Amino acid sequence: MSQLTYAQAAMAGLSEEMRRDPRVWALGEDLGRGGVFGQYRGLQQEFGPQRVVDTPISESTIMGAAVGAAMVGTRPVVELRFADFALCAVDEMVNQAAKARFMFGGQARVPVTIRQPVGMWRSSAAQHSQSLEAWYVHIPGLVVVMPATPADNKGLLKASIRCDDPVIYMEHKDLWGLTGEVPDDADVTVPLGQARIARDGADVTVVTWSKMVHVSLSAAAELAKRGLSVEVVDLRTLWPWDRTAVLSSVAKTGRLIVVQEAVLTCGFGAEVAATVAEEMGGQLKAPVKRLGSPRAPISYSRPLEDRVRVTVDHIVDAALTLARA
Amino acid sequence: MRDSKRLAAQYLTMRRIRAFEDRAETMARDGKVTGAVHASVGQEGIAVGVCANLLPSDKITTTHRGHGHCIAKGTSPRAMMLELFGKAGGTSGGKGGSMHIADFSVGMLGANGVVADGLPIAVGAAQGEKLLGRDTVVCCFFGDGATNRGPFMEALNWAAVYRLPVLFVCENNSYASTTRTETVTAGPGPSARAESLGVPAFSVDGNDVAAVDELAGRLVREIRAGAGPKFIEARTYRLHGHTAADAGAYRDAREVEERWTSDPIARCAAELRRLGVPDSDITAMDEAAEREMADAVAIALAAPWPDPRTAFTDVQDVGAPV
Ligand SMILES: Cc1ncc(C[n+]2csc(CCOP(=O)(O)OP(=O)(O)O)c2C)c(N)n1
Ligand SMILES: [Mg+2]
């Protein structure tokens, strides 16, 4: 085990996979200088400019080229910089990467890992702060991964690179500096589609992912002081998502809160809530509760930005309300 | 002095494409082929002249109007016809149809339903091949309409920056769907755009298969030797409608009639005769092509539908629907 930041953990995972498999390569803007968040630092020095490729600001072609390169047998890791800019490559993700295998009757495989950092950070405003994971969960053919911890950012990235499907890999910008214990073993990966019980509890289940795992854990600690035992389920992968882990947790607690940073409307939380309602409506002790951002663009000014954040207080209030129901 | 054997082989491939397209359109009008069919009637010389210079290990990408490129690269017309009918045994098992024909076994990396999306895929395929240490050439076919989309500019720039082994082939048939491309296009055209991005461009009469063959042969040799990307603008004309359902009322009938006098197949037949190839040889090739495609249709008509369960296969490994 080593103490690594979330960014260092991803770097360790990527460099291990590049050493292990010469078909793995990375492409994106500014990677030769370490990438905008330093998550590629030193990689071009080790692997050279053919395998850590500095690209023009051509998101459509970064993504489209990765599809072509994947179809001939390489395993590209695509860096799209911000989920907001990845929108310039949605066509290539949705119409090409996600569908090539199916549309060509199984002849193609598109093993690309598509990194697109998400989330509110600090004063990044409406075009550098979005969490758009639900868009991709909607698309057959894609896998959607959202690591919350340094260990997961290594293990899930490695698993994504080894996966033969196109994987949308969303790191949270506010987590780059988060430190934690990370396995050193290059063979350790985190399986895609398996949730993690981040905290055990008996009274309320909180299902969440990405940065909201940490906010939910803080809320759970606060609620423990008030006598409420909260279980926090970190989904880690949104497609496929671990229904079994969620349903068995809710079977135990009888109460569910889904917490997401993204806009609440049509967010992934709605999928979790609807599934729980369909599968175990009669067994719930209280109605399902969803927390997420109001349907407004994200502001620049700190007090305005804070208005759309889901906070510890929101989760505490929601849990107490549910417990009283 | 042109090689009559090589030209005769190219004539045969053009005739096979024409016979395929004519039947595909008829079957579409009869309701047997249910999806859109974009025939390449009149443009066969480009597919054939270019692909004659590619190795089986070379790759191509194409567009909605891609039947000719597939056949010229070696895809089985039977499997293609089955695909158009949506039947079992089609190139994609009936899951793709005309616009998603692919045959990876002959380096045909897929047609595309999204205009201009084949260009980034082609440059990436070239980059991947290069990374794997292979000396593959990737050829990317697209229409004049594609030159107005961003990926055209991005992909040419990309290929030039990384000096990738890509042959861009713009089939300039003057139309993008029902619109005359020049009425919505600024500047002097596709070749000038390519040159401005550092990709050497060459213009050719796309209805002269031998001229296309000669130019493509030279460029493919240069590309394989490491010269970086090249661009062909092949001037041609779409003799039929945009799709089988398009009567082409937006075009002057005299314009179309005039263009039929430059039909690449008739021109090639005349050239073969000039080179001393007997009429009987030409007729024999015509008959062989018609027979092959008549068989392809008969087989497709009789073929079974795909197993309905395949609607859910080959979606993805992780999180698959079944
Ligand atoms: C991105 C996109 N926009 C629009 C269309 C609809 N469409 C299909 S073919 C076509 C015309 C394409 O013209 P061109 O590139 O010249 O090819 P051609 O049909 O002449 O072979 C259009 C507009 C599409 N398939 N993709
Ligand atoms: Mg056109």
Side-chain angles (χ1 to χ4, degrees), chain A residues 219-232:
Chain A
E222 177 59 32
L223 286 158
K225 289 186 214 153
R226 306 202 196 178
L228 204 63
S229 164
V230 174
E231 180 147 297
V232 178

Side-chain angles (χ1 to χ4, degrees), chain A:
Chain A
M1 289 282 181
S2 298
Q3 277 285 325
L4 297 180
T5 65
Y6 185 81
Q8 288 165 337
M11 212 152 55
L14 176 57
S15 54
E16 282 172 16
E17 291 310 298
M18 289 185 71
R19 276 177 221 127
R20 175 179 177 268
D21 184 346
R23 299 169 304 168
V24 177
W25 60 296
L27 68 163
E29 298 150 18
D30 302 305
L31 298 197
R33 269 74 53 220
V36 269
F37 301 110
Q39 74 276 48
Y40 293 86
R41 200 164 287 145
L43 293 184
Q44 197 179 58
Q45 283 81 342
E46 179 176 353
F47 298 104
Q50 316 298 324
R51 285 184 73 199
V52 179
V53 178
D54 278 312
T55 69
I57 306 162
S58 298
E59 283 74 14
S60 298
T61 296
I62 294 171
M63 193 57 235
V67 172
M71 292 199 309
V72 300
T74 72
R75 307 182 79 83
V77 176
V78 173
E79 178 57 57
L80 290 173
R81 207 175 175 113
F82 280 74
D84 316 72
F85 310 152
L87 300 182
C88 301
V90 164
D91 165 47
E92 287 75 13
M93 284 184 262
V94 172
N95 283 322
Q96 310 300 340
K99 298 192 174 52
R101 174 178 174 182
F102 181 86
M103 205 158 68
F104 300 150
Q107 296 181 72
R109 286 292 183 284
V110 187
V112 294
T113 302
I114 305 158
R115 294 174 80 175
Q116 38 171 300
V118 298
M120 282 193 267
W121 192 26
R122 51 176 128 81
S123 291
S124 296
Q127 297 173 338
H128 291 73
S129 301
Q130 297 171 88
S131 291
L132 300 173
E133 61 270 23
W135 291 34
Y136 301 99
V137 183
H138 194 68
I139 305 301
L142 298 178
V143 175
V144 181
V145 178
M146 296 190 82
T149 66
D152 279 357
N153 204 18
K154 183 179 180 196
L156 287 169
L157 184 62
K158 288 164 69 77
S160 299
I161 292 169
R162 293 184 193 187
C163 177
D164 278 343
D165 298 323
V167 177
I168 304 294
Y169 196 85
M170 295 174 144
E171 290 151 295
H172 197 293
K173 297 191 286 291
D174 212 19
L175 298 179
W176 291 123
L178 180 75
T179 55
E181 291 276 296
V182 178
D184 295 317
D185 188 340
D187 291 327
V188 173
T189 64
V190 174
L192 302 175
Q194 228 174 67
R196 174 179 72 99
I197 305 301
R199 180 186 173 113
D200 269 316
D203 301 326
V204 178
T205 297
V206 172
V207 172
T208 186
W209 53 91
S210 191
K211 185 192 160 185
M212 281 298 140
V213 170
H214 304 285
V215 180
S216 300
L217 286 170
S218 300
E222 177 59 32
L223 286 158
K225 289 186 214 153
R226 306 202 196 178
L228 204 63
S229 164
V230 174
E231 180 147 297
V232 178
V233 180
D234 170 6
L235 281 183
R236 301 203 284 199
T237 306
L238 300 198
W239 189 266
W241 65 284
D242 194 342
R243 294 164 54 109
T244 312
V246 170
L247 293 175
S248 58
S249 177
V250 179
K252 181 171 71 175
T253 62
R255 298 181 184 91
L256 171 67
I257 308 174
V258 192
V259 181
Q260 64 183 41
E261 180 177 320
V263 167
L264 190 67
T265 312
C266 286
F268 189 69
E271 177 68 21
V272 176
T275 303
V276 168
E278 280 174 348
E279 300 284 324
M280 44 198 315
Q283 304 162 52
L284 295 175
K285 296 175 188 154
V288 172
K289 178 71 184 166
R290 288 182 294 152
L291 294 176
S293 164
R295 197 170 175 282
I298 296 164
S299 295
Y300 169 79
S301 169
R302 279 172 62 182
L304 301 184
E305 185 184 39
D306 286 344
R307 293 280 296 169
V308 298
R309 283 182 201 279
V310 175
T311 62
V312 169
D313 287 348
H314 292 138
I315 302 169
V316 167
D317 286 350
L320 292 173
T321 307
L322 250 62
R324 279 195 295 265

Side-chain angles (χ1 to χ4, degrees), chain B residues 144-168:
Chain B
D144 42 288
T147 65
N148 281 327
R149 278 206 68 223
F152 168 82
M153 189 284 283
E154 289 191 6
L156 264 72
N157 177 65
W158 189 285
V161 163
Y162 303 113
R163 246 182 123 73
L164 296 173
V166 182
L167 178 61
F168 294 99

Side-chain angles (χ1 to χ4, degrees), chain B residues 143-145 171 173 175-176:
Chain B
D144 42 288
E171 299 192 346
N173 61 13
Y175 284 88

Side-chain angles (χ1 to χ4, degrees), chain B residues 196-214:
Chain B
S196 79
L197 292 161
V199 181
F202 304 84
S203 185
V204 68
D205 176 356
N207 289 14
D208 179 349
V209 68
V212 175
D213 177 24
E214 204 175 295

